[in-house]
Amino acid sequence: MQTILDSADRPAHDAFVEKKSEFIGDACHISSLDEALAFVQTIRDQHPKARHVAYAAVCGGSDGRLAERMSDDGEPSGTAGKPILDVLRANEMTDCVVAVTRYFGGILLGSGGLIRAYSTGASIAVKAASKAKIVPCGEYQVILDYPQLGSFQNLLSTVEGEQTDAQYTDRIALTVVVPQEQANVFESRVVETFNATVVPQLVGSPTVRSKYEFTL
């Protein structure tokens, strides 16, 4: 799966004209479907004279299931929201919303033309976006002595892990995320490297999706 990194206040954006109708695609990252609706309303506010603002959104829940929402916004059923959603599905996107705004140019496009136009509007918005892969991760807490920090950070990088928090007292308490597929290797290497004086504690369930981002 992958997601869009562009924020709601600076969404990915592109546009094209089809038979005098202008189609404007905007896409951004979201954390919930409520955020998607708020973004679409922002787009509507920016284009008060537009005939339609159709959209589709996909968001991953804490159980790993995807929630979807779409709207044709007055276009014939199935000709606007679904083509946008199909683009998100085809690109294996989640945690994002795409809105396609239409300024009607006076020429009817027909169902097939509308489907192609809204699909194109969504595609160019996704293409314009900064994207990242989403990798299922486990979250660990690791307690280290100060002299162990450098060796641990080197080890963490070899398993494509990432430090997300650190607490410094008489010892160092790190919170790190590690891709699921590297979890067993990570745990065994830490134990071996530090002769079992350091043992990673899994604190985030690996069944919960964590965003571990790589810019594409």
Side-chain angles (χ1 to χ4, degrees):
M1 299 295 291
Q2 59 178 329
T3 190
I4 289 172
L5 299 179
D6 302 81
S7 62
D9 57 345
R10 298 187 66 181
H13 176 88
D14 206 347
F16 75 103
V17 176
E18 178 69 20
K19 294 183 178 178
K20 297 185 179 182
S21 282
E22 183 180 16
F23 291 85
I24 305 167
D26 290 282
C28 76
H29 183 83
I30 56 168
S31 298
S32 67
L33 292 180
D34 286 342
E35 288 185 11
L37 294 176
F39 174 71
V40 173
Q41 185 58 52
T42 298
I43 298 299
R44 288 196 175 105
D45 292 342
Q46 292 174 2
H47 300 279
K49 295 183 179 180
R51 180 70 66 89
H52 307 281
V53 181
Y55 77 92
V58 182
C59 194
S62 59
D63 60 358
R65 297 180 181 178
L66 297 180
E68 300 175 339
R69 183 171 291 178
M70 63 182 178
S71 171
D72 295 311
D73 194 36
E75 294 282 27
S77 179
T79 63
K82 188 176 185 303
I84 299 171
L85 182 60
D86 286 343
V87 169
L88 296 181
R89 289 172 172 170
N91 285 276
E92 297 185 326
M93 307 295 296
T94 189
D95 297 347
C96 59
V97 56
V98 176
V100 179
T101 303
R102 181 190 184 189
Y103 282 90
F104 184 56
I107 299 176
L108 297 177
L109 301 182
S111 295
L114 286 173
I115 291 170
R116 287 190 295 272
Y118 279 99
S119 178
T120 299
S123 296
I124 61 176
V126 170
K127 185 176 180 180
S130 297
K131 294 177 286 292
K133 290 182 180 179
I134 294 181
V135 179
C137 293
E139 185 178 50
Y140 292 87
Q141 186 172 68
V142 182
I143 308 299
L144 301 167
D145 293 323
Y146 281 84
Q148 297 172 322
L149 180 60
S151 296
F152 177 79
Q153 289 175 330
N154 289 336
L155 186 158
L156 185 64
S157 67
T158 66
V159 295
E160 300 179 341
E162 184 178 82
Q163 179 181 313
T164 59
D165 190 33
Q167 303 291 328
Y168 298 94
T169 55
D170 57 325
R171 304 185 76 194
I172 306 171
L174 297 182
T175 303
V176 301
V177 291
V178 176
Q180 267 190 43
E181 61 184 19
Q182 295 278 9
N184 291 337
V185 173
F186 168 70
E187 292 174 10
S188 61
R189 283 186 183 175
V190 171
V191 172
E192 292 169 5
T193 299
F194 300 104
N195 297 317
T197 61
V198 178
V199 179
Q201 299 297 316
L202 186 65
V203 294
S205 170
T207 61
V208 176
R209 186 203 315 273
S210 294
K211 278 183 292 192
Y212 190 82
E213 297 173 350
F214 303 82
T215 300
L216 299 175

